[in-house]
């Protein structure tokens, strides 16, 4: 598995954010029984950096906490059966499936952790978990879809013993 982590802003977490990112990505892959080696890119940025990306790709001219850019279109969330049919999904140099990109807003992580009354570690891990589920085709456009995502997020983070408190 390859995880590319790029920092475009100052990152002053009191935990090893690269290790946590790798642990969360690995746990999400294991939880979903993803049958391939995978590649994920994570960018850490700030309000202005994520606002530019949000405007360019979603036509929303405001910052957000996280953006997810899946590389795979799934017939059903978590259905990996058609991946092998598309060579474009594989990195030709490594043979890994390119799952997609995650963009995290570091100042928003601090702010939301404080607002929700939990640690920066928990908020950071939660946003990566949330994004990984998007990279596997899940969404939260309906109440039922949101409930499915929330349950999976909780189970993945529980496996890592990263809880709200």
């Amino acid at each position: 598995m390859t995880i590319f982590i790029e920092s475009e802003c100052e990152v002053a977490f009191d935990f090893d954010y690269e290790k946590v990112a790798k642990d969360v990505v690995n746990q999400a892959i294991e939880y979903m029984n993803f049958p391939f080696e995978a590649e994920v890119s994570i960018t850490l940025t700030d309000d202005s950096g994520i606002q530019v990306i949000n405007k360019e790709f979603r036509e929303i001219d405001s910052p957000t906490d996280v953006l997810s850019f899946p590389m795979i279109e799934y017939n059903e969330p978590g259905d990996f059966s058609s991946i092998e049919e598309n060579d474009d999904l594989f990195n030709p140099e490594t043979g890994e499936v390119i799952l997609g990109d995650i963009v995290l807003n570091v100042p928003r992580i601090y702010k939301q952790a404080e607002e929700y009354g939990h640690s920066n570690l928990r908020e950071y891990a939660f946003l990566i978990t949330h994004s990984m589920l998007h990279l596997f085709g899940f969404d939260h456009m309906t109440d039922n879809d949101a409930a499915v995502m929330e349950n999976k997020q909780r189970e993945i983070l529980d496996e890592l013993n990263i809880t709200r408190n």
Side-chain angles (χ1 to χ4, degrees):
M1 180 186 64
T2 302
I3 301 175
F4 297 104
I5 301 175
E6 181 182 346
S7 298
E8 296 180 346
C9 67
E10 183 176 335
V11 179
F13 293 124
D14 61 354
F15 56 88
D16 184 343
Y17 67 90
E18 291 184 359
K19 180 186 182 315
V20 171
K22 291 174 184 176
D23 290 347
V24 172
V25 170
N26 275 323
Q27 185 61 41
I29 286 170
E30 184 178 311
Y31 176 86
M32 291 301 303
N33 296 311
F34 189 69
F36 305 97
E37 289 295 313
E39 177 181 306
V40 176
S41 294
I42 299 174
T43 302
L44 303 171
T45 191
D46 55 18
D47 277 336
S48 60
I50 207 164
Q51 182 170 348
V52 167
I53 297 166
N54 205 18
K55 182 176 182 183
E56 180 179 347
F57 291 98
R58 298 179 61 224
E59 298 180 4
I60 299 173
D61 191 13
S62 64
T64 187
D65 55 356
V66 63
L67 292 170
S68 309
F69 297 100
M71 294 299 292
I72 301 169
E73 289 187 34
Y74 299 92
N75 294 328
E76 293 289 326
D79 175 6
F80 311 124
S81 62
S82 63
I83 290 176
E84 282 183 298
E85 299 168 11
N86 188 346
D87 289 340
D88 291 340
L89 299 177
F90 292 84
N91 180 326
E93 295 177 16
T94 65
E96 295 174 322
V97 173
I98 304 167
L99 286 175
D101 302 324
I102 297 169
V103 183
L104 297 166
N105 182 340
V106 173
R108 190 68 65 98
I109 291 170
Y110 295 125
K111 181 179 177 186
Q112 288 179 179
E114 185 176 329
E115 287 173 4
Y116 297 134
H118 54 242
S119 68
N120 292 328
L121 167 66
R122 199 280 178 184
E123 187 65 17
Y124 176 78
F126 169 80
L127 291 174
I128 294 172
T129 303
H130 182 86
S131 289
M132 285 300 296
L133 291 172
H134 281 310
L135 299 188
F136 289 131
F138 292 91
D139 214 325
H140 41 83
M141 300 305 283
T142 68
D143 288 343
N144 186 54
D145 290 346
V148 167
M149 275 191 78
E150 288 167 12
N151 185 55
K152 290 182 183 311
Q153 290 164 172
R154 184 178 56 258
E155 290 177 353
I156 291 166
L157 291 170
D158 283 352
E159 282 296 315
L160 294 166
N161 199 29
I162 299 175
T163 59
R164 288 192 91 117
N165 297 331

